[in-house]
Amino acid sequence: MTINQYEQIYQTLKHQGAPAWTDKGYARAWENLCITLARIQDSGILPAPGAISLELGCGNGAMASLWLSRHGYQVYGVDISPTAIGWATESFRAQGLEGHFNVADISAPVALLSQHFDLIYDGSCLHCLTGEQRTHCFENIRHALKPEGMLIISSMCGEPKRDEDRLNYDAERFQLNKDGQPWRTLLPLDLLQEEITAQGFVIAQTQVHENPWWDHATLCCYLRT
Ligand SMILES: C[S@@+](CC[C@H](N)C(=O)[O-])C[C@H]1O[C@@H](n2cnc3c(N)ncnc32)[C@H](O)[C@@H]1O
């Protein structure tokens, strides 16, 4: 999808009073996120509250950024959509929360990530990227993550399960297409793990949430030393 398409989607969502990107699926998405992050927290590997976090593709801030803020983390977020960033800023302010949200294209060769983070959370943004964009995204992450920091990747994975998605799936490139254009990268879990490893990370934990449409993986990773 192009920058403009994300921007248009957020303008429509905001105009319609949607709670977030997931719109009517927000309550379910929020519940899944809370369960997943609580499991990571219980396993003792999540950086401690107070740590400085960045959500990639933070949207209007109503998912991981909100969870992190409520759990005592310093919150930063980037998104390609100016409307999403304005919305996240307003929403945090209205809730009396502190968050720093900026427009950035995480697939650009050098994204504007001038700080270093203890925790980088991929807000289901990596799977929006295809081909070389993903390589640039990993470069940006390696640049912005502190040496001992944690990267959490939250990504669709596996194969499409619905007939209409199978018809639009390019199984050679592992891409779901929309209107004939690459839309999402949908890698089998083992290939996603291989990519993350090849990009210089060690995977400490993988959780997979099964859905009727495709599965969703959450992977906790560290930079390989
Ligand atoms: C699936 S949505 C998830 C949004 C949010 N994290 C949530 O959970 O509600 C993916 C987000 O990534 C953003 N995005 C897509 N491509 C991007 C890019 N190249 N750089 C930064 N953000 C991007 C979109 O605008 C969108 O907000």
Side-chain angles (χ1 to χ4, degrees), residues 6 10 20-22 55-59 63 78-81 104-107 123-125 127-129 184:
Y6 287 107
Y10 276 108
W21 172 269
T22 39
E55 182 180 4
L56 306 177
C58 62
M63 288 289 287
V78 289
D79 202 282
I80 206 162
S81 156
D105 177 358
I106 196 63
S107 71
S124 298
C125 182
H127 69 209
C128 298
L129 309 180
R184 296 283 183 266

Side-chain angles (χ1 to χ4, degrees), residues 7 9 16 40 66 73 106 112 151 156 182 198 201 208 219:
E7 175 57 12
I9 289 172
Q16 292 175 343
I40 299 172
L66 182 60
Y73 293 83
I106 196 63
L112 291 173
L151 166 67
M156 44 203 273
F201 292 87
V208 178
L219 305 108

Side-chain angles (χ1 to χ4, degrees), residues 10-198:
Y10 276 108
Q11 286 181 9
T12 306
L13 287 170
K14 190 162 189 244
H15 181 70
Q16 292 175 343
W21 172 269
T22 39
D23 200 359
K24 293 186 173 54
Y26 179 67
R28 174 191 51 77
W30 174 254
E31 192 187 344
N32 287 341
L33 176 81
C34 291
I35 292 170
T36 302
L37 288 176
R39 278 196 194 129
I40 299 172
Q41 203 175 32
D42 290 349
S43 67
I45 58 174
L46 199 63
I52 178 165
S53 71
L54 170 71
E55 182 180 4
L56 306 177
C58 62
N60 73 342
M63 288 289 287
S65 291
L66 182 60
W67 188 96
L68 289 163
S69 179
R70 287 187 180 164
H71 287 79
Y73 293 83
Q74 296 179 61
V75 168
Y76 288 72
V78 289
D79 202 282
I80 206 162
S81 156
T83 294
I85 289 302
W87 190 358
T89 305
E90 277 167 30
S91 159
F92 263 53
R93 197 175 295 138
Q95 295 177 75
L97 301 172
E98 196 175 333
H100 310 270
F101 299 102
N102 289 294
V103 176
D105 177 358
I106 196 63
S107 71
V110 184
L112 291 173
L113 304 176
S114 51
Q115 265 175 295
H116 292 99
F117 300 91
D118 301 300
L119 173 61
I120 297 184
Y121 185 93
D122 158 34
S124 298
C125 182
L126 181 67
H127 69 209
C128 298
L129 309 180
T130 53
E132 210 182 32
Q133 294 177 328
R134 293 171 71 86
T135 310
H136 292 317
C137 178
F138 276 111
E139 281 164 10
N140 287 320
I141 293 170
R142 286 196 302 271
H143 178 76
L145 191 62
K146 289 185 186 173
E148 309 291 322
M150 172 174 282
L151 166 67
I152 301 181
I153 290 181
S154 166
S155 171
M156 44 203 273
C157 71
E159 287 181 15
K161 300 180 190 177
R162 291 185 301 206
D163 288 346
E164 72 256 37
D165 292 323
R166 279 206 206 96
L167 285 175
N168 289 307
Y169 188 55
D170 177 340
E172 273 179 29
R173 293 186 177 80
F174 303 105
Q175 279 173 9
L176 266 180
N177 295 327
K178 199 176 206 172
D179 303 326
Q181 297 298 316
W183 177 62
R184 296 283 183 266
T185 295
L186 180 52
L187 284 162
L189 180 62
D190 57 339
L191 293 189
L192 178 62
Q193 289 172 320
E194 263 178 39
E195 181 188 29
I196 294 167
T197 306

